[in-house]
Amino acid sequence: MRRSLWTKLQVYNKRARFAKSVTMRSVEVRRTTLLFLCVTAVLTAAPPEVTKVEPPSWWIGHSINPVRVLIRGRNLEGARAVASGAGIAAGSTRVNAAGTYAFIDISIARNAKPGPHPLRIVTAGGEARAPFEVLSPLPREGRFQGFSPDDVIYLIMPDRFSNGNPSNDDPAISRGMWDRQKPRYYHGGDFQGIVDRLPYLKDLGVTAIWLNPVYDNVNHLNERERADGQAITDYHGYGAVDYYGVEEHFGTLTQFRELVDAAHRQGIKVIQDQVANHTGPYHPWVKDPPLPDWFHGTEAHHLANTWQTWTLTDKHATPELRQATLDGWFIDILPDLNQENPEVARYLIQNTLWWVGISGLDGIRQDTLPYVPRRFWRDWMAAIKREYPNLRVVGEMFDGDPALVSFFQGGQARFDGVDSGVDTVFDFPTFFAIRRAFAEGQPVHDVAVMTAHDYLYPDAGLLVTFLGLHDVARFMNEKGATAQGLDLAFTFLMTARGIPMIYYGDEIGMRGGGDPDNRRDFPGGWREDARNAFTAAGRTPEEQGIWEHVRRLARLRGELAPLRRGSMINLCVSEQSYGYARTSSDGAVVVLINNGPEAAELSCDLSPLHPAEGARLTDRLGAAPELRIAGGKVQAQLPGRSAGIYVQTGR
C-alpha cells in the first residue's frame, strides 16, 4: 500500500517536472516570438516623412511661447520631437489617428540664437528632419502702425494692377493659368508692379494700401468653382491652399517683404487681406484634415452657407437657426473652418501673427467676418493687440442695414456678452446711399439720413468708407453715373467722417460691371498696353479731370485737420442739397453739396459752429464764390451737381 502510494507520488512528480519544463519552454518560445515580432516591426516600419512645417519660423521674445507647430507628413505615428540648439525645447507631441499630422510645442528662450534650428522627428521607423527657424523680431519703428482717419486707403488687386516682373506670368509650377484675354485667369500683376507704382500712389495722396490675399493658391485650374461652364483660376487670392505660402504669380515672400519696406519708405502703410473663415477647395486639409472636426462637415457632407446674417444679431434666434450661416460652406464650395476647435483657433491666430511679424504689416482686412463665431474674434484680436497694440483690423460685413453692420464693430459687449474687439468695419450702408445719390441721382437727403445712424456704432469715426470695391460693379457702371457725380461722391468720401478708401482705377473713373468685369487691368500697368493711365499724358480728359479732383481732395484732407479728426455736424439738408461741418480744436470746415441737376441756393445755419459775424468763407476747391456769414447763417449759390469746401479766411 505504501509502496503503491510512493510509486504514484514519484510518477506525479515526474509528470509535474515534465509539465513545468514544457511550460517554461513555451514561455521562452513566446518571449522569443514576441521579441522577433518587435524587432521585425521596427525593421519594417516605414520611416517618417515631413512635407510641411507651419509655422516655419518664430520669434525670440514673442507673446506666444511656446508656439504650436503643425507638421504634415506620413508615418508620424508615435512621433516625438527633438529640438536642436541651445534655448530651443520641444514639448508635448500629439499625432492624429492617420499619422499624417503632428502638433508639437516649441519653446524659445530669450537666449536662443537666431537661425536654423531643425527639429528631429523620431519614430519607431527612424527619423526625419523638420526645418524650423528662430528669428529676431523686426524693428518696431515705422512698422505695425495701424491705420486711422488720417489715412487714405487704396485697394489693389495685385493681379490686375501692374506687371513689374513678366518672368512670373506663367510659372513652371502652374503653367497655363495666365491669359489676359480671359477675365478669370491670371493677368500678370505682381508685387514688383506695385513697388513700381508707389510714386504714383504717393502723388495721388494715398497713405495706405490694402492688398487682396497673397496666399498661395492651387497650381491648376479650379474645376470646383466654374463660371459660364468653364474652370477658372483663383487669381483673386481667396482660395488658399497654403496659409504660409505666397502665390508664385505675384512673387516670393522675400519680394512681399520688400514691397512692405518700399511702401514704408514712401510713407505708405500696408494692410493685408486675410481669410480665417474658409480655405480654398483644394487645400490638402480637405482630403486629409489634421483632426476629424477641423472643418464644419466634410467635402461630401456639409451645410451650405445661407448668408442669413440677421440671425447672428437676433437675440431670439436659436443655435439651429444660425448654424447654416456660421457653419455652412461659402457658395457651397469653400470649406468652412471650425474655429471652435482649439487647435484650429490657435493655428489661425498664429498664422495672423506670423504674417504681421514676418513682413512688418500695419493692418489687416478680415474677409467674411460675420461667418465666424465672435468668441474667436475676441481671442484673435486680444492676441494681436498683445503683440502689436497699434495694429488695426477692419472686418467685412457686407450689408446695407446699419443695425446689422454696427453689431460687428468691437468696442462694446453685445447681447451675447462678447466684445469682439474688432477695431472697425466697412461702411456698406453709407456705400449704398452714396451710390444711389451720386451715381443714380436719387436724393442726397438719404446720405444724411444714413449718417444719422452713427449712434449705432461704438466709433463711427473709424468706419472705412468707400465708393466701390472688388465685390461690386464700378461706380461708373451704375445707371445714370457721370464724371460729375463721381466727383461729388469723392467730395463726400474725402470730407465726411470715417477712413476713406479708393478702389484702384476709380480715381480715373474706370468702368466695369459685375465680377470679373469690375476687376479690369489698370491701363498702363502692362508694357504692351496702348496707353498708360499712370501718367497724365495717358489719360483721357475725363479721366484727368477726375484724377486731379481726387488728388486735390486728398491733399485738402491732409492739410485740414478737421476733415480727418473733426466731429461731423449736419447743418442743412433738403432733397438734393446737403451741408455739414467738420469741427475740431483746429477749427471748422464747411462742406456744401448740390446734387441736383440745376443751380440751387443753400441756406445753412452755422450757429452751432459759433462763427464770427461777417466772417468770410472761401471755397478751397476753387470753384464756388466766397460766402459771408450774416446772422449766423450763409447763403450759397451752387451750380448743378457741384460742391464747395469752405474755410474761414477773414472778416
Side-chain angles (χ1 to χ4, degrees):
M1 186 80 177
R2 287 179 183 172
R3 186 171 181 180
S4 176
L5 181 61
W6 175 254
T7 301
K8 289 181 179 179
L9 183 60
Q10 284 182 316
V11 171
Y12 174 80
N13 288 336
K14 186 176 181 180
R15 289 176 177 173
R17 285 194 299 271
F18 176 76
K20 181 178 180 182
S21 174
V22 171
T23 300
M24 291 180 67
R25 284 197 298 272
S26 178
V27 169
E28 188 63 31
V29 168
R30 285 199 298 271
R31 286 177 178 171
T32 303
T33 302
L34 182 60
L35 179 60
F36 173 78
L37 291 174
C38 289
V39 171
T40 301
V42 170
L43 293 175
T44 60
E49 298 177 21
V50 172
T51 57
K52 185 71 173 173
V53 180
E54 305 176 272
S57 54
W58 207 250
W59 293 270
I60 299 168
H62 200 280
S63 55
I64 290 183
N65 190 27
V67 59
R68 185 155 296 163
V69 175
L70 177 63
I71 289 180
R72 183 168 78 236
R74 296 173 58 195
N75 310 317
L76 301 177
E77 296 90 342
R80 62 184 178 89
V82 180
S84 63
I88 310 299
S92 62
T93 300
R94 177 187 176 194
V95 180
N96 72 345
T100 52
Y101 290 91
F103 299 84
I104 305 170
D105 286 344
I106 302 297
S107 298
I108 304 173
R110 289 191 175 274
N111 65 347
K113 184 179 179 181
H117 287 265
L119 308 174
R120 289 171 50 223
I121 308 302
V122 182
T123 70
E127 65 178 64
R129 184 176 179 273
F132 186 77
E133 188 173 3
V134 172
L135 305 173
S136 294
L138 291 174
R140 301 255 164 170
E141 185 176 356
R143 297 183 173 93
F144 321 124
Q145 303 167 85
F147 53 87
S148 74
D150 290 329
D151 289 307
V152 174
I153 301 172
Y154 189 89
L155 166 57
I156 295 174
M157 295 201 78
D159 182 62
R160 303 301 166 93
F161 188 59
S162 180
N163 186 355
N165 181 12
S167 69
N168 60 28
D169 288 352
D170 194 21
I173 197 173
S174 50
R175 291 283 188 215
M177 300 170 66
W178 167 71
D179 188 340
R180 287 189 72 192
Q181 304 308 310
K182 296 180 179 180
R184 296 185 188 273
Y185 275 48
Y186 286 95
H187 287 188
D190 50 34
F191 298 145
Q192 186 58 51
I194 299 171
V195 171
D196 294 344
R197 305 304 177 183
L198 289 173
Y200 165 84
L201 297 174
K202 179 81 170 178
D203 187 34
L204 183 61
V206 169
T207 64
I209 54 175
W210 155 28
L211 308 180
N212 287 139
V214 300
Y215 304 128
D216 191 20
N217 289 271
V218 70
N219 293 332
H220 55 77
L221 291 177
N222 183 347
E223 298 281 355
R224 309 275 174 81
E225 187 179 344
R226 302 171 70 86
D228 302 322
Q230 301 294 315
I232 63 172
T233 74
D234 290 331
Y235 71 91
H236 44 66
Y238 292 97
V241 298
D242 183 354
Y243 277 107
Y244 286 92
V246 173
E247 174 52 49
E248 66 276 2
H249 286 88
F250 303 156
T252 65
L253 178 60
T254 297
Q255 290 167 338
F256 179 67
R257 293 175 61 168
E258 290 170 351
L259 163 59
V260 176
D261 288 343
H264 286 163
R265 288 193 294 271
Q266 293 276 0
I268 296 175
K269 303 169 182 177
V270 180
I271 301 167
Q272 183 195 31
D273 206 328
Q274 295 193 356
V275 188
N277 176 55
H278 57 261
T279 71
Y282 293 99
H283 197 293
W285 293 337
V286 179
K287 299 294 186 184
D288 179 27
L291 296 171
D293 60 345
W294 197 260
F295 294 110
H296 289 118
T298 66
E299 187 176 23
H301 302 286
H302 60 262
L303 296 173
N305 196 311
T306 56
W307 298 300
Q308 298 297 305
T309 50
W310 66 270
T311 64
L312 308 179
T313 65
D314 178 11
K315 65 189 299 183
H316 309 296
T318 64
E320 291 74 18
L321 192 59
R322 301 186 180 112
Q323 186 178 12
T325 301
L326 283 173
D327 298 351
W329 288 30
F330 212 75
I331 60 173
D332 202 20
I333 294 173
L334 302 179
D336 194 76
L337 288 161
N338 178 14
Q339 296 82 11
E340 288 141 325
N341 180 316
E343 293 293 353
V344 176
R346 182 155 182 158
Y347 177 95
L348 293 170
I349 288 170
Q350 290 182 171
N351 182 253
T352 288
L353 294 174
W354 184 85
W355 277 105
V356 175
I358 206 72
S359 60
L361 294 168
D362 304 290
I364 294 167
R365 181 264 187 181
Q366 185 57 244
D367 186 62
T368 52
L369 186 80
Y371 306 111
V372 174
R374 284 160 39 78
R375 292 182 299 278
F376 170 77
W377 294 132
R378 175 193 61 199
D379 298 342
W380 181 74
M381 285 299 307
I384 291 172
K385 297 295 187 180
R386 274 194 299 271
E387 187 65 27
Y388 305 107
N390 295 325
L391 190 133
R392 274 195 167 139
V393 172
V394 55
E396 179 202 30
M397 168 53 182
F398 195 139
D399 201 282
D401 185 347
L404 296 184
V405 175
S406 61
F407 183 86
F408 291 93
Q409 185 182 31
Q412 68 183 63
R414 299 294 183 168
F415 73 84
D416 55 5
V418 175
D419 176 357
S420 70
V422 174
D423 295 298
T424 191
V425 291
F426 290 99
D427 190 359
F428 275 95
T430 302
F431 156 77
F432 287 113
I434 288 172
R435 282 292 188 95
R436 290 190 295 268
F438 299 119
E440 299 175 18
Q442 295 187 32
V444 74
H445 167 274
D446 295 346
V447 178
V449 169
M450 191 56 70
T451 65
H453 290 83
D454 282 359
Y455 70 91
L456 294 167
Y457 297 93
D459 189 347
L462 286 180
L463 294 173
V464 175
T465 54
F466 57 98
L467 311 180
L469 39 66
H470 62 297
D471 288 324
V472 297
R474 293 272 185 179
F475 182 99
M476 291 298 286
N477 248 62
E478 295 281 9
K479 184 179 180 180
T482 64
Q484 279 184 313
L486 182 55
D487 281 350
L488 284 182
F490 270 121
T491 299
F492 176 78
L493 183 75
M494 292 290 197
T495 59
R497 55 75 177 136
I499 306 171
M501 186 200 77
I502 303 168
Y503 181 37
Y504 83 94
D506 277 358
E507 75 274 19
I508 59 170
M510 278 178 64
R511 270 74 171 171
D515 174 14
D517 192 42
N518 57 346
R519 303 170 179 183
R520 298 180 189 178
D521 300 341
F522 193 102
W526 282 252
R527 297 171 188 175
E528 63 270 24
D529 286 356
R531 65 188 184 96
N532 182 6
F534 285 109
T535 66
R539 301 179 196 125
T540 67
E542 179 182 89
E543 290 173 341
Q544 182 64 15
I546 298 168
W547 191 90
E548 288 179 351
H549 183 67
V550 174
R551 181 172 180 264
R552 184 180 301 113
L553 288 168
R555 295 196 172 195
L556 281 176
R557 186 178 178 87
E559 175 190 343
L560 303 174
L563 292 181
R564 304 190 309 275
R565 298 280 179 170
S567 300
M568 187 166 173
I569 303 174
N570 287 337
L571 299 170
C572 53
V573 181
S574 69
E575 183 175 0
Q576 285 293 24
S577 66
Y578 185 14
Y580 54 90
R582 302 293 304 280
T583 66
S584 71
S585 58
D586 297 298
V589 178
V590 175
V591 181
L592 302 179
I593 297 174
N594 174 18
N595 191 49
E598 306 296 334
E601 180 174 302
L602 281 71
S603 177
C604 286
D605 183 357
L606 304 188
S607 57
L609 311 182
H610 309 290
E613 186 69 13
R616 292 174 300 166
L617 300 180
T618 301
D619 173 27
R620 292 298 305 274
L621 287 178
E626 182 179 85
L627 304 179
R628 185 175 293 274
I629 297 174
K633 298 181 178 181
V634 291
Q635 303 288 128
Q637 294 283 342
L638 288 180
R641 308 223 79 182
S642 69
I645 301 174
Y646 300 89
V647 296
Q648 184 173 330
T649 55
R651 297 184 63 180

